[in-house]
Amino acid sequence: MKLNSRLLQDKVVLITGCNRGIGKAILDKFASNGAIIYASARQEGILNEEAKLLSVKYSTRIIPVYFDVTDSNALKETFMKINKEYKRLDCIINNAGVMEDALIGMVTEAVLQKTFAVNVFAPINMIQYATKIMKRQNCGSIVNISSIVGTNGNPGQIVYSASKGAVISLTKTAAKELAVNNIRVNAIAPGMIDTDMFRSIGEIRISERISKIGMSRLGTPEEVADAALFLASDLSVYITGQIIGVDGAAII
Amino acid sequence: MTNIEKYNNAFIESLNVDEKNLSGLTYQSIAEWDSVGHMNLIANIEETFEIMMETDDIVDLSSYIKGIEILKKYEIEF
């Protein structure tokens, strides 16, 4: 395979949380590699312009779909739409996520429920629906976005880290269960990536964090998207149940 | 092919069962209808009728007869 070939040419992909950060970078990367993409976000209309631009720029088709990942009826309708329009689904990227920090003793029930609904329950439901289509074609790739705090933990992030740890364990279980169907399930555990979500911790804490990164800089969303591209593509057909760190040797 | 014939075929293909034994068939009453067989059966039914079943309905489909009742919710006439 030529390195400059379009690695996802004509593959049908669903990506959640495409409006910013890592999701937006994955959307661009996958479009540039020829994927037909159902790009999702919560806010109605927010991806319309981007979808048009990318479709023309990369000669592919980007279809915006708007739903809340915690709405199981909306999820089902989206997968039915994909099945009706393409009769196949090659990859899903479970990227949509929320992060709300709270020290032990200050964790509210609302934060617990919301974080697990978006970061854990939604990916499980996504996997349940996606595999209905993938099993029929006997192949597929599922990529979940975890976090370095899901493997290492971090003060002030008991809820977020627990949710991202759950993403790792659900990834490993799904990989074992779905291998017989030739469906691969992997996760990416980004370290400190230069996104709006990460920058919400404030400049002083960002500088402190960078000092703990071996490569002395934040990662970029595009570098995470490169890992997602690898896991979605046929370059990784024998890789499943793995958690790929994209963290520049961060110590956390 | 009628809907009942399609439905029967889903059982016959997925669970390797004779058509004459379908009416009394229940979940786990034969070795082939275990949890893995159940998911194969559901996949076959969904593909046959071009539907996606709710998780509760997948769990509730505990017999051949019950399945007919559940599929009526998806506007499949028998």
Side-chain angles (χ1 to χ4, degrees):
Chain A
M1 185 179 291
K2 288 188 295 184
L3 282 176
N4 64 352
S5 64
R6 304 219 304 176
L7 292 174
L8 302 179
Q9 186 66 47
D10 298 330
K11 287 188 184 287
V12 180
V13 179
L14 170 62
I15 307 169
T16 63
C18 287
N19 52 314
R20 61 180 186 159
I22 290 170
K24 188 174 182 182
I26 294 173
L27 172 61
D28 189 282
K29 181 74 65 179
F30 279 31
S32 71
N33 276 273
I36 297 159
I37 303 168
Y38 287 83
S40 98
R42 254 185 318 177
Q43 191 181 332
E44 191 75 30
I46 196 169
L47 295 172
N48 290 358
E49 278 304 306
E50 183 80 355
K52 278 182 198 166
L53 286 172
L54 292 177
S55 296
V56 173
K57 183 178 178 184
Y58 297 121
S59 302
T60 186
R61 187 167 178 232
I62 315 296
I63 305 111
V65 283
Y66 299 102
F67 59 87
D68 184 329
V69 292
T70 64
D71 181 346
S72 61
N73 284 333
L75 280 189
K76 181 181 170 185
E77 283 173 16
T78 301
F79 282 101
M80 287 187 76
K81 174 182 166 73
I82 295 169
N83 191 46
K84 188 177 176 189
E85 292 177 353
Y86 283 96
K87 286 268 175 202
R88 66 177 296 111
L89 178 61
D90 297 287
C91 176
I92 61 167
I93 308 290
N94 279 316
N95 168 70
V98 292
M99 181 180 79
E100 291 188 41
D101 296 351
L103 291 169
I104 295 167
M106 298 179 70
V107 174
T108 64
E109 184 68 21
V111 167
L112 265 177
Q113 296 292 345
K114 181 182 174 187
T115 304
F116 272 78
V118 176
N119 293 2
V120 183
F121 303 155
I124 290 174
N125 279 329
M126 290 273 295
I127 290 169
Q128 292 210 103
Y129 283 119
T131 53
K132 285 175 185 287
I133 303 172
M134 289 175 173
K135 280 181 179 177
R136 291 174 201 163
Q137 64 204 28
N138 199 40
C139 67
S141 173
I142 294 167
V143 180
N144 300 318
I145 304 298
S146 179
S147 166
I148 192 171
V149 305
T151 54
N152 295 19
N154 195 38
Q157 295 195 306
I158 190 167
V159 182
Y160 182 70
S161 67
S163 74
K164 290 302 185 180
V167 169
I168 290 170
S169 51
L170 76 86
T171 296
K172 291 183 176 181
T173 291
K176 286 182 166 75
E177 194 168 321
L178 297 169
V180 68
N181 303 108
N182 204 31
I183 298 169
R184 301 181 296 107
V185 190
N186 294 287
I188 296 170
M192 289 166 249
I193 307 299
D194 195 355
T195 62
D196 292 343
M197 186 186 276
F198 183 77
R199 288 211 167 264
S200 68
I201 69 173
E203 286 301 322
I204 295 171
R205 287 179 68 192
I206 289 171
S207 298
E208 289 170 6
R209 298 280 179 89
I210 289 174
S211 69
K212 294 178 181 172
I213 302 173
M215 290 188 175
S216 302
R217 66 170 178 86
L218 296 177
T220 66
E222 291 71 27
E223 288 163 341
V224 180
D226 284 333
L229 173 63
F230 170 69
L231 291 173
S233 78
D234 291 343
L235 291 177
S236 57
V237 288
Y238 201 57
I239 296 174
T240 192
Q242 302 304 306
I243 314 302
I244 310 292
V246 181
D247 59 24
I251 299 165
I252 192 167
Chain B
M1 193 183 286
T2 64
N3 281 341
I4 193 69
E5 287 170 335
K6 291 179 185 174
Y7 181 66
N8 288 352
N9 275 350
F11 275 79
I12 292 164
E13 289 170 8
S14 306
L15 305 178
N16 195 26
V17 62
D18 282 341
E19 189 162 9
K20 61 181 168 49
N21 296 327
L22 285 178
S23 62
L25 200 62
T26 59
Y27 179 55
Q28 292 188 332
S29 63
I30 57 172
E32 289 81 0
W33 198 355
D34 59 4
S35 58
V36 174
H38 188 67
M39 293 314 295
N40 290 336
L41 172 64
I42 296 297
N44 199 327
I45 290 171
E46 288 185 329
E47 188 169 10
T48 298
F49 293 106
E50 297 186 330
I51 58 172
M52 277 195 182
M53 295 173 68
E54 301 287 345
T55 307
D56 287 346
D57 290 332
I58 292 170
V59 175
D60 285 347
L61 203 161
S62 55
S63 70
Y64 171 84
I65 299 295
K66 182 74 176 176
I68 292 173
E69 186 186 313
I70 288 170
L71 287 184
K72 286 177 182 172
K73 285 169 52 180
Y74 295 85
E75 299 177 351
I76 295 161
E77 303 291 334
F78 288 95

